[in-house]
Amino acid sequence: MIYPIVLYGDPVLKKPAELVESDIDVKQLSEDMFETMYQASGVGLAAPQIGKSLRMFVIDSTPLDEDEGKEGIRRVFINPEILETEGDDFAFEEGCLSIPGIRADVQRPPKITIQYQDENWQEHTEIIEGMPARIILHEYDHIEGVLFVDHVKGLKKRLIKGKLGNISKGQVDANYRVKLPAKAVRRT
Ligand code: NI
C-alpha cells in the first residue's frame, strides 16, 4: 500500500516519535514504507512521514551508492539507537520527500554505530559508513522530530524560508502522492 507523504508544516514531523511495540505488524508496515519510498524515488523514509509517530525507518541507498560504484544497503530500522558517531563532519546536499523542491548542505559525521531491530524483531548492532550512514542520520533525525532544514542556518536559511512557508500553505509541486498540512487544507 502506498501512503501519501506528509509535508513540511504537519506537526507529526516535529514530534519525537514513540517506541514501536510488538503489536504492530512491522513486516507489513515496512513493505508499505518501501513501496511508498520507491514510488517517490526516495532513498529513505521514516514513519512520521506517512503520519505514523513511530520510531522506525527504511532506507535503500542503492541509487546513491551505485553512482560511486558501491553496493547499496536496503534495511528496516526499528527502535534504533545511534550508539556512536565517528570522523569529522562533512557537508552533503540533502533533500527530503516531505520538503519537495528544497535542497541544502548539511554537516554530518561519516561513520556511525547503530543498534536496532529488523522487521523480524531481530536485534542488530552495526557499524555503517558512507552514504548509508548519511541517510540513516537524516532518517534518525525524523524520528526525533528534526528535519534537515533545522540544521540549515544563516543566509541559506533565509533563502529557503519563503519556500518552506509555501509548502506548509500547500503550494507544492511533487510528482508523488502527498498529504497537505491541515493548515493548508483548511485554507483551500
Ligand atoms: Ni527526510
Side-chain angles (χ1 to χ4, degrees), residues 165-179:
N166 288 344
I167 297 173
S168 57
K169 284 183 222 141
Q171 291 159 23
V172 67
D173 190 20
N175 55 359
Y176 44 88
R177 251 182 92 204
V178 295
K179 177 178 173 278

Side-chain angles (χ1 to χ4, degrees), residues 44-46 49 94-99 138-139 142 146-148:
L45 185 77
Q49 294 182 277
E94 298 188 13
C96 179
L97 294 176
S98 294
I99 313 175
H138 175 117
E139 301 311 325
H142 271 298
V146 175
L147 300 171
F148 84 93

Side-chain angles (χ1 to χ4, degrees), residues 25-97:
D25 184 352
V26 288
K27 260 194 174 145
Q28 183 62 51
L29 188 53
S30 44
E31 266 174 43
D32 291 345
M33 286 174 69
F34 275 122
E35 203 182 344
T36 301
M37 180 183 88
Y38 289 134
Q39 59 94 33
S41 305
V43 292
L45 185 77
Q49 294 182 277
I50 57 165
K52 294 184 187 294
S53 193
L54 294 172
R55 301 185 74 81
M56 170 172 173
F57 55 81
V58 299
I59 76 159
D60 187 347
S61 69
T62 307
L64 291 174
D65 275 327
E66 265 178 352
D67 294 345
E68 296 178 24
K70 289 187 203 149
E71 211 173 309
I73 289 183
R74 183 189 193 273
R75 289 260 210 302
V76 179
F77 295 87
I78 296 164
N79 297 328
E81 289 286 343
I82 308 273
L83 301 180
E84 205 185 336
T85 63
E86 284 173 77
D88 295 330
D89 284 5
F90 71 105
F92 184 82
E93 194 184 57
E94 298 188 13
C96 179
L97 294 176

Side-chain angles (χ1 to χ4, degrees), residues 135-158:
I135 301 168
I136 287 167
L137 288 167
H138 175 117
E139 301 311 325
Y140 189 83
D141 268 357
H142 271 298
I143 62 172
E144 297 282 25
V146 175
L147 300 171
F148 84 93
V149 290
D150 297 332
H151 295 291
V152 178
K153 305 274 185 266
L155 175 64
K156 177 72 183 175
K157 185 64 177 245
R158 290 203 292 280

Side-chain angles (χ1 to χ4, degrees), residues 113-154:
T113 306
I114 186 169
Q115 187 175 51
Y116 63 98
Q117 288 160 297
D118 64 19
E119 66 274 38
N120 299 309
W121 296 106
Q122 292 295 308
E123 182 108 14
H124 303 265
T125 301
E126 225 179 323
I127 295 170
I128 297 176
E129 54 189 322
M131 202 50 73
R134 164 72 54 169
I135 301 168
I136 287 167
L137 288 167
H138 175 117
E139 301 311 325
Y140 189 83
D141 268 357
H142 271 298
I143 62 172
E144 297 282 25
V146 175
L147 300 171
F148 84 93
V149 290
D150 297 332
H151 295 291
V152 178
K153 305 274 185 266

